[in-house]
Amino acid sequence: MKEFDAAEFSLDENSRLVILSGAGVSADSGLKTFRGQGGLWEGHRVEEVATPEAFDDHPELVIRFYNERRRQLAEVEANDAHRAIAKLQKEMKERCFLVTQNVDDLHERGGAEKVCHMHGELLQLKCMAGHKTRISGEQNMDMRCEECGGYLRPDIVWFGEVPYFIDNIQRKVAECTHFIFTGTSSQVYPAAGLKGLAKQAGAKVLNINLEIDEADWMTDYYIQGKASEVWPKCVEEILSLEYSKA
Ligand code: OAD
């Protein structure tokens, strides 16, 4: 693994890029990540708030947890990492597939036009029949699905559940020439397995993160730093090279 070099990474007009983002990308906006010191899972037991069983056993607690996440999301803004990723996507158009593990809407607020939310969306509820309802404020126990009157739960992919769009995501990764994973600890599968799939497909793999695992043989390049600081520079380098060739 070596430090990122835009010329070697050689992302150009024929490349197909997949970007997989995680909580670290939203950390500079003020949202907590999940793991590590001060992370969300330090203050909460996953099995108490992020499993279907938890929702069956004590829905009030689960709803309160996600109401709090929604309240915090309303207080923050997108940061320069979200904006830089959106800029790259705008330039590459459909050749850049952005998939996020984040349930916040900061990629969208940063200007991204297409975001694949594999772990669901905080600003959405769903009923057991799968109908979706947008929500910006608090969920309460009395709310019901407008289409079928069913009970509503946060539209979050909980532990033990299958991420959304996984077939399409894996297909995109298997066909990509470049794969960037960023702000993720790569501990939750199947998201964590995507870099291996990309590597197997012959893609160049780049990790942009605060902490870099130097023993990770599946990664070719890295940029170590805070997402909001390093992403703008990375995109600037990629785009200036692409333009200089034209
Ligand atoms: P984690 O909390 O596991 O990892 C966050 C990563 O971001 C770590 O590797 C940090 O080093 C890095 N990081 C922290 N601050 C950063 C910064 N300012 N700039 C760049 N990197 C930074 O979060 P995820 O990997 O996204 O699932 O977690 C995956 C899933 O686990 C989540 O989607 C969530 C959770 O359970 C659900 O809720 C369904």
Side-chain angles (χ1 to χ4, degrees):
M1 193 194 309
K2 44 174 141 163
E3 212 165 329
F4 173 73
D5 176 303
E8 269 187 42
F9 195 59
S10 62
L11 193 71
D12 63 26
E13 62 275 12
N14 298 313
S15 306
R16 290 179 305 278
L17 170 67
V18 174
I19 300 174
L20 169 69
S21 68
V25 169
S26 297
D28 295 337
S29 293
L31 293 182
K32 282 184 175 181
T33 60
F34 291 93
R35 293 167 186 82
Q37 228 188 356
L40 272 175
W41 294 153
E42 202 182 53
H44 298 87
R45 288 179 55 222
V46 171
E47 55 276 23
E48 269 182 2
V49 290
T51 62
E53 293 75 23
F55 191 67
D56 286 344
D57 287 352
H58 42 259
E60 306 84 1
L61 179 65
V62 176
I63 286 175
R64 205 180 323 134
F65 176 76
Y66 288 101
N67 280 343
E68 178 59 17
R69 305 276 77 73
R70 227 173 277 118
R71 197 187 58 69
Q72 287 175 6
L73 180 56
E75 287 174 358
V76 303
E77 302 287 344
N79 66 56
D80 284 344
H82 298 109
R83 284 187 278 274
I85 291 169
K87 185 172 175 184
L88 185 58
Q89 194 189 37
K90 203 163 248 157
E91 290 297 334
M92 294 186 72
K93 302 189 178 70
E94 70 284 353
R95 289 179 298 106
C96 174
F97 180 70
L98 172 59
V99 50
T100 187
Q101 298 167 88
N102 298 344
V103 296
D104 64 54
D105 64 342
L106 295 181
H107 277 303
E108 287 90 342
R109 285 201 250 158
E113 277 165 19
K114 270 196 179 168
V115 187
C116 176
H117 282 276
M118 69 184 294
H119 287 169
E121 295 183 53
L122 201 45
L123 300 183
Q124 211 158 255
L125 305 176
K126 70 171 178 182
C127 70
M128 299 308 155
H131 303 130
K132 311 265 177 160
T133 304
R134 298 298 289 180
I135 181 168
S136 54
E138 295 217 336
Q139 177 183 3
N140 67 58
M141 295 289 290
D142 303 329
M143 287 178 174
R144 296 288 180 268
C145 173
E146 282 177 7
E147 278 187 65
C148 67
Y151 289 101
L152 289 165
R153 57 165 270 186
D155 188 16
I156 305 289
V157 175
W158 286 323
F159 286 89
E161 297 183 316
V162 180
Y164 291 136
F165 319 114
I166 192 66
D167 291 346
N168 188 41
I169 294 165
Q170 286 175 337
R171 189 175 52 79
K172 290 277 187 193
V173 173
E175 291 172 353
C176 77
T177 57
H178 294 73
F179 182 82
I180 303 177
F181 63 107
T182 180
T184 177
S185 62
S186 298
Q187 290 196 36
V188 173
Y189 285 82
L194 295 175
K195 64 179 172 187
L197 191 58
K199 186 77 185 153
Q200 221 175 5
K204 290 180 177 168
V205 178
L206 165 63
N207 183 12
I208 302 180
N209 207 327
L210 200 54
E211 296 160 300
I212 300 293
D213 172 9
E214 284 172 23
D216 175 10
W217 60 271
M218 282 178 276
T219 301
D220 303 299
Y221 301 97
Y222 71 90
I223 301 176
Q224 185 162 21
K226 291 174 81 172
S228 63
E229 290 172 6
V230 297
W231 258 104
K233 194 162 166 280
C234 170
V235 170
E236 200 179 300
E237 283 176 22
I238 288 171
L239 294 182
S240 66
L241 266 183
E242 200 176 6
Y243 286 131
S244 65
K245 273 193 299 180

